[in-house]
Amino acid sequence: MTKRIGILTSGGDCAGLNAVISSVVMAASQKGWEVYGIHNGTDGITETPHSYEVLTVHNFSDSPWPRLSGSYLGSLNKGVKMESLETMSQKFAQGVKDLGLDAIVVVGGDGSMNIVSNYCKGLDVHVVGIPKTIDNDTPITEFSVGFQTAVQVCTKAVDDLYLTARSHNRAIIMEVMGRDAGHLAMHSALAGAADVCLVPEIPYTIDGIINKLKEVKASGRNNAIIVVSEGIKNEKGEHVSNKKNLVGEAVYGGISQYLTDEISARYNEFQIRSTTLGHIQRSGTPVAFDRLLAYVYGAKAVELLDKGVNRHMVIWKAGHVESVSFDDVVKEGTTKLDTNSDYVKAARALGMYIGECK
Ligand code: F6P
């Protein structure tokens, strides 16, 4: 039976999304299915006129898109829609009917999977999810598309900052994204051999950071790199930013400046500077592993739809691609950095200050 499937990207963008889209289009075309590329996340379905384009192999087979970051289709970030779940579900159901979709591939984090799976309850449409986020906090899967490229971007930034820190005898604090999970901070701090890495999962003290800086000085080195996750709190246990998005979620940012001020007030043997990497972490040429994940996830998503699987997300587990139900994904919640992981052990073995585990 000819199927018509929709594909959409949802949530913050990241490198590798276009390779995912390309993979789904190629695999679906081989089965003779039609693919509708939905613009701007679920907006392309819920808003009228609906916004989409028919995608074929010609869009991707001789195109730079699979090699580029960003989302060819556009993405919808949370915090911009205020309508109730009931209203959105009705609009979504009407859109799915108008477009004649048999199935939808959602490329997003656990939040997006949850939203679309709620919209689809009771509808005669199958949904399969593909995890993507630079935060790498999508549950159950070991890797989400986009994470490895973000680690690469952050590691390069550590290398670059080291050179200027060395020229000026400075300590530089680099703030990375990741929300409440420290994966991005820990992976890039380790790859860049930073001196300090602070993550939301492990408490720290300003004195602990200063002691590490003293140790660096005593060793004869005049520069230091401190990587901090945007989601860490100040010494009072509060986030330094009190900004919220339209749905009331905290918007992070500013911890590196707070730490710069606090450390400088108590210790002056290093000049401290802070750098916030920002959205550059969501871009950059997708690294090979993100493209590889994108291609295997896309192919697997089409295979699952072909087998009639519904409400499942593809995952990477010990070198294999499998799938788990949306219910399990939602039940599990976001995945934090395991404080007993080999990454954390290696950071300690390198002598990095990573806070004090209780
Ligand atoms: O979830 C991905 C992410 O990049 C987080 O690491 C970051 O906190 C957030 O999105 C930023 O979102 P926005 O694009 O709304 O600034």
Side-chain angles (χ1 to χ4, degrees):
M1 187 188 78
T2 301
K3 279 191 196 221
R4 181 177 295 160
I5 66 171
I7 178 164
L8 59 88
T9 54
S10 179
D13 69 343
C14 62
L17 294 177
N18 298 313
V20 174
I21 299 167
S22 156
S23 174
V24 169
V25 170
M26 298 294 180
S29 301
Q30 290 209 41
K31 296 194 179 296
W33 300 352
E34 280 181 313
V35 182
Y36 280 14
I38 311 295
H39 294 154
N40 306 322
T42 50
D43 268 6
I45 295 180
T46 54
E47 290 189 347
T48 45
H50 307 305
S51 184
Y52 69 97
E53 63 191 278
V54 178
L55 297 176
T56 69
V57 290
H58 301 296
N59 290 84
F60 297 104
S61 64
D62 183 16
S63 150
W65 273 108
R67 297 170 167 81
L68 301 176
S69 57
S71 171
Y72 175 83
L73 294 171
S75 192
L76 174 67
N77 216 350
K78 55 196 165 195
V80 286
K81 284 280 170 292
M82 297 297 286
E83 287 173 294
S84 68
L85 175 63
E86 199 189 345
T87 309
M88 291 306 291
S89 300
Q90 280 165 2
K91 289 185 175 184
F92 192 84
Q94 188 59 50
V96 166
K97 194 172 161 212
D98 294 346
L99 298 178
L101 300 177
D102 300 301
I104 299 173
V105 176
V106 184
V107 191
D110 57 315
S112 305
M113 310 283 161
N114 194 17
I115 290 169
V116 177
S117 123
N118 278 329
Y119 288 173
C120 289
K121 269 187 191 147
L123 296 186
D124 189 20
V125 64
H126 282 190
V127 196
V128 166
I130 297 180
K132 64 88 215 159
T133 167
I134 66 163
D135 305 341
N136 209 37
D137 59 354
T138 316
I140 311 177
T141 186
E142 286 165 21
F143 292 110
S144 295
V145 172
F147 174 64
Q148 295 292 352
T149 305
V151 172
Q152 186 66 31
V153 168
C154 295
T155 305
K156 181 177 185 306
V158 172
D159 292 347
D160 291 343
L161 290 172
Y162 159 71
L163 293 172
T164 175
R166 189 176 183 279
S167 306
H168 290 275
N169 299 329
R170 282 175 173 161
I172 298 189
I173 305 180
M174 182 178 102
E175 179 176 321
V176 304
M177 287 182 166
R179 292 203 62 79
D180 298 305
H183 305 286
L184 186 53
M186 182 54 72
H187 282 238
S188 51
L190 195 50
D195 300 289
V196 176
C197 175
L198 305 179
V199 293
E201 294 85 351
I202 306 177
Y204 70 93
T205 60
I206 303 283
D207 285 343
I209 304 170
I210 293 173
N211 287 341
K212 180 64 199 181
L213 293 178
K214 286 180 178 165
E215 190 188 307
V216 169
K217 260 283 186 232
S219 75
R221 180 151 54 93
N222 267 331
N223 55 78
I225 297 290
I226 298 170
V227 177
V228 300
S229 180
E230 63 175 2
I232 63 169
K233 296 176 176 164
N234 63 18
E235 275 197 309
K236 288 189 213 143
E238 295 160 352
H239 287 295
V240 293
S241 158
N242 49 20
K243 282 193 222 149
K244 301 249 190 282
N245 66 17
L246 288 175
V247 291
E249 291 170 333
V251 174
Y252 294 154
I255 191 67
S256 59
Q257 191 55 53
Y258 161 83
L259 291 171
T260 302
D261 296 342
E262 289 297 314
I263 298 167
S264 304
R266 300 183 210 179
Y267 173 76
N268 59 13
E269 295 208 15
F270 271 119
Q271 250 189 355
I272 320 273
R273 292 287 186 270
S274 91
T275 295
T276 301
L277 289 191
H279 292 80
I280 198 82
Q281 296 161 91
R282 300 224 298 241
S283 200
T285 302
V287 298
F289 188 69
D290 273 333
R291 293 190 218 178
L292 189 142
L293 266 188
Y295 289 124
V296 293
Y297 279 170
K300 186 71 175 183
V302 170
E303 182 192 311
L304 292 174
L305 289 176
D306 199 24
K307 287 182 178 158
V309 175
N310 187 19
R311 292 167 53 81
H312 263 227
M313 181 183 85
V314 300
I315 58 162
W316 183 271
K317 202 170 161 203
H320 293 281
V321 185
E322 299 171 14
S323 77
V324 290
S325 75
F326 280 176
D327 290 345
D328 285 344
V329 171
V330 172
K331 209 186 306 155
E332 188 76 16
T334 53
T335 304
K336 299 287 184 74
L337 179 72
D338 173 3
T339 54
N340 290 314
S341 70
D342 289 325
Y343 300 114
V344 172
K345 286 181 191 158
R348 284 216 179 84
L350 280 181
M352 201 183 289
Y353 174 69
I354 58 170
E356 290 94 13
C357 273
K358 288 190 176 141

